[in-house]
Amino acid sequence: MSDQNYYDTLGLDENSSFEEIQEAKERLIADCEDDRKQKEAIEAAYDAILMERLRLRQEGKIKVPDRIRFAEASPEKPATQSATPSVERPAWLENFLDTPDRNDVLVPAGIFGILAVVSLAGPSLALALGVGVSIYFINRKEYRFWRSLLLTVVGLVVGLTLGILIGQALGPQAAAMSGASPDLVTQRVAAIISMIVLWMVTSFLR
């Protein structure tokens, strides 16, 4: 198809401005929205005209506005702000929360996991070691011993409280299944829950 035929497809001539070419293309596309072949012909004519104008521009025979884009090129979309505003945490909370890397989570998890197994044999020993491990890892972040001690004590109290409540609820059934006394079952459960809480404190607080 010749260049003149491309202009004829859009109902234009070679003297048409870029604005007229753009408007003609959009108008014709809207008119034949359901005619796929006609739409493709209009797109092809539009692209051919722009390619010819680009060639003329490169030869210095015509000036093409920088804003002209080919149909197949996706227009750049302006960066849109997230619809969900970011929630800022209070300053006091920022002082306590930590953003750990992978090792800061996995290493304590492994140690507290071992202590949870140890608690099945000796709950008191596991708790004592867990307190020491928790203080060590928290203190290592900012070297504030008393803060580390306070967070560990709070974690231990929360863990023991939850563990005792859960242990007492599971005690009779677990005791019947394991052959251990209900009190020992409660102690073991309390120690295991405490290891989990201390691990969370160690990993995500500072």
Side-chain angles (χ1 to χ4, degrees), residues 10 12-13 15-25 27:
L10 297 184
L12 302 169
D13 57 45
N15 295 321
S16 299
S17 67
F18 286 103
E19 288 77 10
E20 290 172 335
I21 295 171
Q22 183 72 30
E23 289 173 2
K25 176 227 176 185
R27 184 182 67 256

Side-chain angles (χ1 to χ4, degrees), residues 1 9 11 22 39-40 51 97 102 120 158 170 181 187:
M1 186 181 290
T9 300
Q22 183 72 30
K39 184 176 179 181
E40 290 177 353
M51 288 295 291
L97 291 181
R102 185 177 180 182
L120 296 176
V158 171
L170 299 177
S181 66
Q187 291 175 18

Side-chain angles (χ1 to χ4, degrees), residues 22-101:
Q22 183 72 30
E23 289 173 2
K25 176 227 176 185
E26 292 176 354
R27 184 182 67 256
L28 292 172
I29 289 290
D31 291 341
C32 65
E33 198 171 40
D34 297 330
D35 190 337
R36 179 181 172 186
K37 290 185 178 181
Q38 183 65 20
K39 184 176 179 181
E40 290 177 353
I42 293 169
E43 291 280 6
Y46 174 77
D47 290 349
I49 292 172
L50 289 190
M51 288 295 291
E52 175 63 16
R53 297 277 177 120
L54 179 60
R55 183 183 64 79
L56 293 174
R57 178 189 182 186
Q58 291 172 341
E59 294 174 359
K61 297 179 180 178
I62 190 173
K63 179 175 176 59
V64 181
D66 291 335
R67 63 187 174 80
I68 294 298
R69 295 291 182 269
F70 296 107
E72 65 271 16
S74 299
E76 295 181 2
K77 295 181 180 179
T80 55
Q81 295 182 345
S82 175
T84 305
S86 58
V87 179
E88 294 186 3
R89 294 179 292 198
W92 64 268
L93 189 57
E94 288 287 349
N95 290 333
F96 280 97
L97 291 181
D98 189 19
T99 306
D101 59 27

Side-chain angles (χ1 to χ4, degrees), residues 167-180 182 185:
Q168 288 177 343
L170 299 177
Q173 283 185 327
M177 293 175 62
S178 64
V185 170

Side-chain angles (χ1 to χ4, degrees), residues 139-160:
N139 185 60
R140 191 179 65 169
K141 296 179 182 180
E142 295 190 357
Y143 298 100
R144 299 168 69 177
F145 175 78
W146 293 110
R147 183 190 182 108
S148 306
L149 179 62
L150 175 63
L151 291 176
T152 298
V153 170
V154 171
L156 181 64
V157 171
V158 171
L160 286 174

